[in-house]
Amino acid sequence: MELPSVTVLSLFIPTFFMVSITPGMCMTLAMTLGMRFGLRSVAWMMIGELSGVGLVATLSAIGVAAILLTTPSLFLALKVGGGLYLIYLGIQMWQAKGKMALTDDASLQASFTRRQLIVQGFITAVANPKGWAFFVALLPPFLDPDKNLTNQLVVFLAMILSLEALCLLIYGTGGKSLGRFLSEAHHQRTLNRCSGSLLAGVGIWLMLS
């Protein structure tokens, strides 16, 4: 079974971790639920959120796979575009100063029943256009057309869900402490710049590889 190389995985894991850990709609929802209702509510929301992320990532991967198999030149363009997108995100984060660079201004209303929490998490993940953009733009640069595509995508999707779950738990359990930390502009600026530097560096590496 051909798997992604150690070099690719050493870049993929921190890249997607930084994309996930940067405050956005899903992480803000997890933090809000954690602060107001505790980790149990976050856990139910995570079921829906991870299902939504898995759906978005799978559909994006299927589209990317189809392009790779039928139009190699277009896949190469997507790979270069993915590298440029990472560099763009890095610059955007550096320019965000003390703001949450990837956060959409949305009213997050906490639900109480398990079903409502699951649905809320799913909708938050699927309805976020930035999530679709991330997967469509960021998957191609990490794929090796000379290796089994299905095996690579299975590994990457498993890692994406694992990293997303880890970040949701960090925000959910962090609760008020994390909320206070991110409310200070210089802390948010430091996070943005660390994330931005990593994403831009990986984007440059992918374009040159």
Side-chain angles (χ1 to χ4, degrees):
M1 179 177 178
E2 288 185 306
L3 300 176
S5 67
V6 174
T7 301
V8 170
L9 291 178
S10 66
L11 291 172
F12 182 88
I13 292 173
T15 297
F16 271 81
F17 177 78
M18 296 309 295
V19 167
S20 294
I21 201 67
T22 303
M25 291 176 64
C26 294
M27 297 304 149
T28 304
L29 176 59
M31 184 172 65
T32 301
L33 290 173
M35 291 171 61
R36 296 180 62 185
F37 304 108
L39 189 57
R40 182 173 297 181
S41 294
V42 176
W44 285 109
M45 183 277 292
M46 284 176 60
I47 295 175
E49 200 274 345
L50 292 175
S51 298
V53 169
L55 176 62
V56 173
T58 299
L59 293 178
S60 301
I62 292 173
V64 169
I67 292 174
L68 174 58
L69 295 174
T70 59
T71 316
S73 58
L74 181 56
F75 177 78
L76 178 60
L78 278 177
K79 181 175 181 178
V80 174
L84 289 173
Y85 186 58
L86 280 173
I87 295 172
Y88 165 76
L89 287 179
I91 295 173
Q92 184 185 44
M93 289 182 181
W94 264 87
Q95 293 177 338
K97 297 181 180 179
K99 301 178 181 179
M100 292 185 178
L102 303 182
T103 301
D104 288 325
D105 292 328
S107 177
L108 300 174
Q109 298 296 326
S111 301
F112 295 93
T113 69
R114 295 175 179 178
R115 181 178 179 181
Q116 287 174 322
L117 287 168
I118 293 173
V119 171
Q120 187 175 30
F122 181 83
I123 293 176
T124 302
V126 174
N128 183 5
K130 290 180 180 177
W132 293 88
F134 283 145
F135 292 120
V136 171
L138 300 187
L139 277 177
F142 292 99
L143 295 174
D144 185 347
D146 297 324
K147 293 184 177 181
N148 184 283
L149 188 59
T150 301
N151 291 342
Q152 293 181 80
L153 291 175
V154 169
V155 172
F156 286 146
L157 290 176
M159 289 186 172
I160 287 170
L161 291 177
S162 298
L163 292 169
E164 185 77 3
L166 174 61
C167 292
L168 286 169
L169 286 174
I170 290 173
Y171 273 83
T173 56
K176 295 181 180 179
S177 297
L178 188 56
R180 287 194 297 268
F181 178 84
L182 292 175
S183 67
E184 297 185 24
H186 68 281
H187 289 156
Q188 184 60 50
R189 184 167 56 249
T190 299
L191 176 60
N192 284 338
R193 290 185 174 181
C194 289
S195 303
S197 298
L198 175 63
L199 295 183
V202 172
I204 293 171
W205 184 89
L206 290 171
M207 290 182 64
L208 297 177
S209 63

